[in-house]
Amino acid sequence: MNSLGKTLTVALAVLAALPAGAQAIFMPSVIYGRSDCPERTVLYPEGFVGEDGTAFSFCGKRELALTADTDSVVLCSGDNSCAAEDIRVAAEDNCFSVAVQVVMTAPEDLPRKIRARVLCFGESTTAIRCKDPYNPAAEGKNWVMLASEDLPEGIELTGNIGHGGWATYTYLNWPCAAKLDPNAPETFFKPETMWYALGLKSQTGEEYSGSLEQLSLMALTPFGKNLMDGAECLWKLVQRLGTVQGYPGFPYDEEYTGSAEQLALLNAWADDLKDRPLNEFYDRKTAEKGDHAFSLEAYLRRSRERRPTHVIVNIGINDGDGANSLESSRICFEKLMRCFGDIPVAHFVNRWPGVCDKTLWEGYIPRQYCINGNTLNLLRLQKEWRETASKLGNVYELDVWHCQYPASQFEEKLTPDGRLDCSLNDVHTGYMGEVTTAWQAVCWLYHILSRE
């Protein structure tokens, strides 16, 4: 194996071993770095928070840069009063050791001639372009563009596709924006309209109720598998979408009556959408014949790109908003990963911005990090995704969660007194978050290419 694996030895490797009354810790997975510049791989305590109300630090420090001789990590909560460098687990001091596996790759371990095409796509954290707040004249960039700057010649990052609000099941099954969240934007198919658009009233004999079973069935059903059902909510949505750029037109402004003619108009509009999808990977034939609608081949035909040698997928935050079951989310994830066959795939999800201890962030106006309902779901989902990835063999869970710069937020701005105001947006990471995300993608590519 052409890489250097290093485990940061610690006393507690699993949550179950924590002392009684200790805060829940979200355990990290493999973290990637480069042996020529290990200090660029940095851990942040926010990634370890496993329950609301917990604030961690590394013995009073806000971050931990890994070095060649790093051999321990101590995570502290409370007043962060511990001073010893070699502190051991002490429940009364609220200090705990946590196992972290780091894989460092040396650049010289790469093949002399590299030819890699890496397909990159994801959600809003891929779609947005963040500007360096200290260099406002510079071009805004996302993690794909930033990663390209750190990769050697011969590695091409392609796609760079991002759709805000899309979840795993959206990419897997839908030709357009759809989300199992009643608070989704008005240009999205939401749970009630999704039920009728998927033809599930006809398939089950049930009107929409919003039950867990219905939401989970919707997550697993491809658009186009069944004909649409007629419903007033669906008629009104299609009327609205018919005026939105990218969607087929729908020039019918009459009130919904439930007639056979109106149902035919709905399905004709759906046919146009299936043939001209907003989802670059949607394929009508795949939806009609199989149990999902995602097709890499359809994407390659449309984009005229060559087949990728590797894939990096940034999806997850919007899965946390869905009320479908964990099992249906796991199944959707596994189906999507299997769509790439034997191509190595890396998957990651970004953490919401915010810091545990604002007093450690001089020069910033950060938001307070907390575990909300979305984040709690994501902690559960990531455990499912990690287990599924390990079973598939060629799927890798990048641990951006523990390495993402916590203070940085999209639309962050410098204040007149020189501080960076990072409290303007509470969902998307900012420039430094994209930088640290990109570094995990870069180091994973170094690792995987060094083994080929």
Side-chain angles (χ1 to χ4, degrees), residues 132-356:
D132 181 349
Y134 300 101
N135 186 14
E139 174 190 14
K141 299 177 181 179
N142 66 353
W143 62 270
V144 182
M145 301 163 73
L146 291 163
S148 295
E149 298 174 358
D150 266 314
L151 291 169
E153 184 178 353
I155 304 177
E156 177 188 8
L157 302 190
T158 69
N160 200 1
I161 298 165
H163 291 288
W166 287 27
T168 304
Y169 54 79
T170 317
Y171 268 108
L172 183 69
N173 288 324
W174 283 81
C176 60
K179 191 175 181 182
L180 292 167
D181 176 8
N183 298 313
E186 292 304 309
T187 53
F188 276 54
F189 282 84
K190 301 182 188 182
E192 184 177 12
T193 49
M194 289 172 71
W195 180 257
Y196 297 107
L198 293 170
L200 292 175
K201 174 186 174 181
S202 296
Q203 296 298 309
T204 65
E206 299 176 2
E207 297 286 353
Y208 172 74
S209 68
S211 68
L212 177 63
E213 292 76 16
Q214 285 192 351
L215 293 166
S216 301
L217 179 59
M218 283 189 276
L220 296 169
T221 303
F223 182 96
K225 187 73 172 179
N226 312 305
L227 292 175
M228 278 186 170
D229 290 319
E232 184 177 9
C233 63
L234 182 59
W235 178 262
K236 290 181 177 180
L237 174 63
V238 171
Q239 284 179 324
R240 185 162 60 248
L241 293 180
T243 67
V244 175
Q245 185 176 6
Y247 284 89
F250 194 73
Y252 308 102
D253 58 3
E254 68 262 27
E255 295 294 319
Y256 180 72
T257 64
S259 68
E261 291 77 11
Q262 287 188 334
L263 180 58
L265 291 174
L266 283 174
N267 279 294
W269 181 86
D271 285 338
D272 286 345
L273 180 60
K274 286 180 274 187
D275 291 334
R276 294 181 293 165
L278 280 68
N279 180 355
E280 296 85 349
F281 300 94
Y282 178 88
D283 182 60
R284 178 176 186 165
K285 292 182 179 179
T286 301
E288 292 171 347
K289 296 179 180 179
D291 60 358
H292 64 81
F294 189 99
S295 171
L296 176 60
E297 299 304 324
Y299 167 74
L300 296 177
R301 287 195 303 269
R302 292 186 185 114
S303 65
R304 297 184 180 180
E305 291 183 5
R306 291 181 293 167
R307 189 173 183 82
T309 58
H310 305 78
V311 176
I312 303 179
V313 182
N314 164 220
I315 301 177
I317 287 179
N318 298 295
D319 293 81
D321 290 329
N324 54 301
S325 67
L326 283 176
E327 177 61 11
S328 64
S329 293
R330 185 200 65 76
I331 292 172
C332 287
F333 174 79
E334 181 172 352
K335 285 182 180 179
L336 182 61
M337 295 300 105
R338 289 187 181 277
C339 288
F340 301 103
D342 59 357
I343 299 173
V345 183
H347 169 266
F348 70 89
V349 57
N350 286 99
R351 193 181 67 249
W352 282 37
V355 304
C356 283

Side-chain angles (χ1 to χ4, degrees), residues 10-30:
V10 292
L12 296 179
V14 293
L15 184 60
L18 292 175
Q23 292 89 347
I25 295 175
F26 181 61
M27 303 300 293
S29 59
V30 177

Side-chain angles (χ1 to χ4, degrees), residues 37-49:
C37 49
E39 69 283 351
R40 289 188 63 180
T41 301
V42 180
L43 299 180
Y44 296 95
E46 289 75 12
F48 294 84
V49 176

Side-chain angles (χ1 to χ4, degrees), residues 47-164:
F48 294 84
V49 176
E51 62 184 6
D52 195 26
T54 300
F56 288 135
S57 74
F58 295 116
C59 291
K61 298 178 182 179
R62 72 187 194 188
E63 61 189 31
L64 175 64
L66 304 181
T67 62
D69 59 352
T70 301
D71 61 2
S72 64
V73 171
V74 177
L75 198 64
C76 298
S77 64
D79 61 6
N80 305 316
S81 59
C82 61
E85 290 295 325
D86 191 34
I87 196 166
R88 289 293 175 258
V89 177
E92 63 274 16
D93 292 331
N94 293 318
C95 294
F96 315 99
S97 295
V98 181
V100 181
Q101 182 183 1
V102 179
V103 174
M104 295 277 182
T105 304
E108 56 267 26
D109 287 339
L110 292 179
R112 290 186 178 181
K113 292 185 178 181
I114 307 172
R115 290 292 180 267
R117 292 179 302 280
V118 187
L119 173 61
C120 304
F121 69 94
E123 54 199 8
S124 54
T125 40
T126 300
I128 61 176
R129 303 291 186 267
C130 297
K131 287 191 174 184
D132 181 349
Y134 300 101
N135 186 14
E139 174 190 14
K141 299 177 181 179
N142 66 353
W143 62 270
V144 182
M145 301 163 73
L146 291 163
S148 295
E149 298 174 358
D150 266 314
L151 291 169
E153 184 178 353
I155 304 177
E156 177 188 8
L157 302 190
T158 69
N160 200 1
I161 298 165
H163 291 288

